């Protein structure tokens, strides 16, 4: 059983231009942007421009587009952040820990042990907006 899509969620508002984000990449089906409460430096979210709560709600063409965008972002993360380790996380349904009910993929450039011992849990500490903007620009440039 999937959860009903609520178009007042934060990612829907970002897609409509009602809330700002630090864009890394955008095309007609996806948007990649900096997580404002990152688990590690360079944490990027990739979302489809489709109102799906979880993977089971997402049409295949959008799932493919999310993967294609994730591949571009990962290459840029490796180039800009000089790391090979990128943890990819995608959580389905609030019961499993999904906090924003719009399908999204996390791309976290770090070794898993760094994430595991990270003192702050995801969504507990906001990043410096200027640093996010600078990193978003670097990643975007690396993609282009």
């Amino acid at each position: 059983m999937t959860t009903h899509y609520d178009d007042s969620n934060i990612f829907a508002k970002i897609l409509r231009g009602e809330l700002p984000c630090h864009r890394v990449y955008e095309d007609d089906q996806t948007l990649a942007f900096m997580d404002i409460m990152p688990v590690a430096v360079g944490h990027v979210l990739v979302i489809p421009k489709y109102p799906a709560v979880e993977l089971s709600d997402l049409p295949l063409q959008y799932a493919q587009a999310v993967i294609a965008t994730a591949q571009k972002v990962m290459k840029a993360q490796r180039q800009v952040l000089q790391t090979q380790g990128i943890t990819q996380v995608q959580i389905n349904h609030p019961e499993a820990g999904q906090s924003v009910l719009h399908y999204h993929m996390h791309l976290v450039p770090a070794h898993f042990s760094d994430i595991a011992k990270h003192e702050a849990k995801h969504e507990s500490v906001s990043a410096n907006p200027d640093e996010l903007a600078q990193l978003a620009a670097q990643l975007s440039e690396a993609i282009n």
Side-chain angles (χ1 to χ4, degrees):
M1 178 174 148
T2 61
T3 303
H4 174 72
Y5 186 82
D6 178 1
D7 66 0
S8 67
N9 75 70
I10 191 168
F11 295 166
K13 290 178 180 181
I14 287 171
L15 286 172
R16 290 192 303 266
E18 296 170 8
L19 291 175
C21 71
H22 298 285
R23 281 175 165 67
V24 171
Y25 176 81
E26 184 172 13
D27 60 27
D28 61 334
Q29 294 181 307
T30 65
L31 173 64
F33 55 96
M34 303 305 297
D35 191 314
I36 62 169
M37 291 188 260
V39 172
V41 173
H43 183 167
V44 174
L45 300 173
V46 179
I47 65 173
K49 293 181 177 180
Y50 184 88
V53 172
E54 61 178 57
L55 183 60
S56 65
D57 302 326
L58 194 62
L60 185 55
Q61 72 183 58
Y62 284 91
Q64 290 171 325
V66 166
I67 296 295
T69 294
Q71 289 175 334
K72 291 174 185 173
V73 171
M74 289 172 71
K75 288 175 186 173
Q77 287 171 314
R78 287 188 171 125
Q79 178 184 331
V80 171
L81 299 166
Q82 299 296 299
T83 185
Q84 289 300 308
I86 298 173
T87 300
Q88 189 180 151
V89 179
Q90 197 282 304
I91 303 167
N92 293 288
H93 202 272
E95 186 176 85
Q98 183 182 14
S99 59
V100 178
L101 300 182
H102 184 107
Y103 175 86
H104 58 288
M105 179 185 294
H106 296 260
L107 299 174
V108 184
H111 188 276
F112 183 76
S113 63
D114 294 336
I115 294 170
K117 64 185 173 189
H118 193 274
E119 291 179 18
K121 301 249 187 264
H122 183 240
E123 300 180 347
S124 64
V125 178
S126 294
N128 178 308
D130 294 333
E131 291 174 6
L132 288 178
Q134 181 180 12
L135 190 51
Q138 290 175 314
L139 291 168
S140 182
E141 184 178 319
I143 290 170
N144 299 323

